[in-house]
Amino acid sequence: MWGDWGHVLRPALLALFAAAVAIRLLVRVRRLRGVPHARAWRHSVAEVGMVVGTLPWIWMILTPVPGDGGLSLVPFRDLAAQLSGPVPAAVVQVGGNLLVLAALGFFLPVRFRLVPGSDGRAVPGPRTGAVLARVAVVLLGVAVTVEVLQYVLGLGRVASVDDVLVNVVGGLLAALCSRRWWADRVPTGRR
């Protein structure tokens, strides 16, 4: 794995240090602008987390590979083929696709209030389905864009509807994992 993806993993690991610095600087700027402490940290961590947790995956899947590539528009065909193949390959392929948009899915509802109350204040407990629907729209847009780029740029990869589906499912599962910290759950006076 290091041999295949070291050119992505090394900068991604270095980016963690840069991410910590970026978070601290964003918090400082927000605090100087009068943003409450908790909201300054919440927004800064979520924004940097979305970027640092998603870009290395996008970089990997937009890296050219040898081969002709192709287009697969039949749902579940590629997924069935992967799952019927060798277990290690299926774990890497399906597991990797679940992780591609996980950071985006995790941090999106943490950063943005996706279901405001009628008076503009935070609702005490956002409806999970409504938040997940909005997160799914964003994830779907990103996943489709990446697959279209793979096809249009001729990267030797197969642009697959199954990749879109698994990317979105991974992001939604991650969003559910972050439910405790969703922006809607924090009263507006403490954000």
Side-chain angles (χ1 to χ4, degrees):
M1 183 171 154
W2 190 260
D4 290 339
W5 300 110
H7 70 285
V8 174
L9 296 175
R10 280 187 288 276
L13 292 174
L14 291 174
L16 293 178
F17 174 74
V21 171
I23 289 169
R24 187 66 186 123
L25 289 173
L26 285 170
V27 168
R28 177 171 282 177
V29 168
R30 286 187 164 115
R31 294 293 293 139
L32 289 172
R33 291 182 177 171
V35 175
H37 184 74
R39 185 169 26 157
W41 274 99
R42 166 194 223 78
H43 288 187
S44 300
V45 168
E47 290 164 359
V48 172
M50 280 188 273
V51 173
V52 172
T54 305
L55 282 185
W57 293 102
I58 302 297
W59 183 4
M60 273 198 252
I61 59 181
L62 291 180
T63 300
V65 295
D68 296 332
L71 184 62
S72 176
L73 298 177
V74 177
F76 305 111
R77 179 189 298 166
D78 293 337
L79 194 56
Q82 291 165 358
L83 294 175
S84 66
V87 172
V91 169
V92 168
Q93 187 65 30
V94 175
N97 274 316
L98 284 170
L99 292 173
V100 169
L101 298 179
L104 181 61
F106 185 92
F107 287 114
L108 193 65
V110 172
R111 170 58 179 92
F112 298 103
R113 182 181 309 155
L114 299 175
V115 184
S118 59
D119 61 354
R121 295 176 51 88
V123 290
R127 294 178 314 184
T128 303
V131 172
L132 292 178
R134 287 167 175 81
V135 170
V137 168
V138 173
L139 296 173
L140 184 63
V142 173
V144 168
T145 300
V146 169
E147 293 300 312
V148 167
L149 285 172
Q150 283 183 339
Y151 182 72
V152 170
L153 296 175
L155 301 175
R157 297 180 176 272
V158 175
S160 172
V161 69
D162 288 348
D163 288 349
V164 171
L165 295 172
V166 177
N167 292 164
V168 171
V169 167
L172 290 174
L173 291 173
L176 282 173
C177 291
S178 71
R179 190 174 189 314
R180 176 181 179 171
W181 302 286
W182 286 359
D184 296 52
R185 296 180 61 86
V186 179
T188 53
R190 290 174 36 204
R191 290 182 70 199

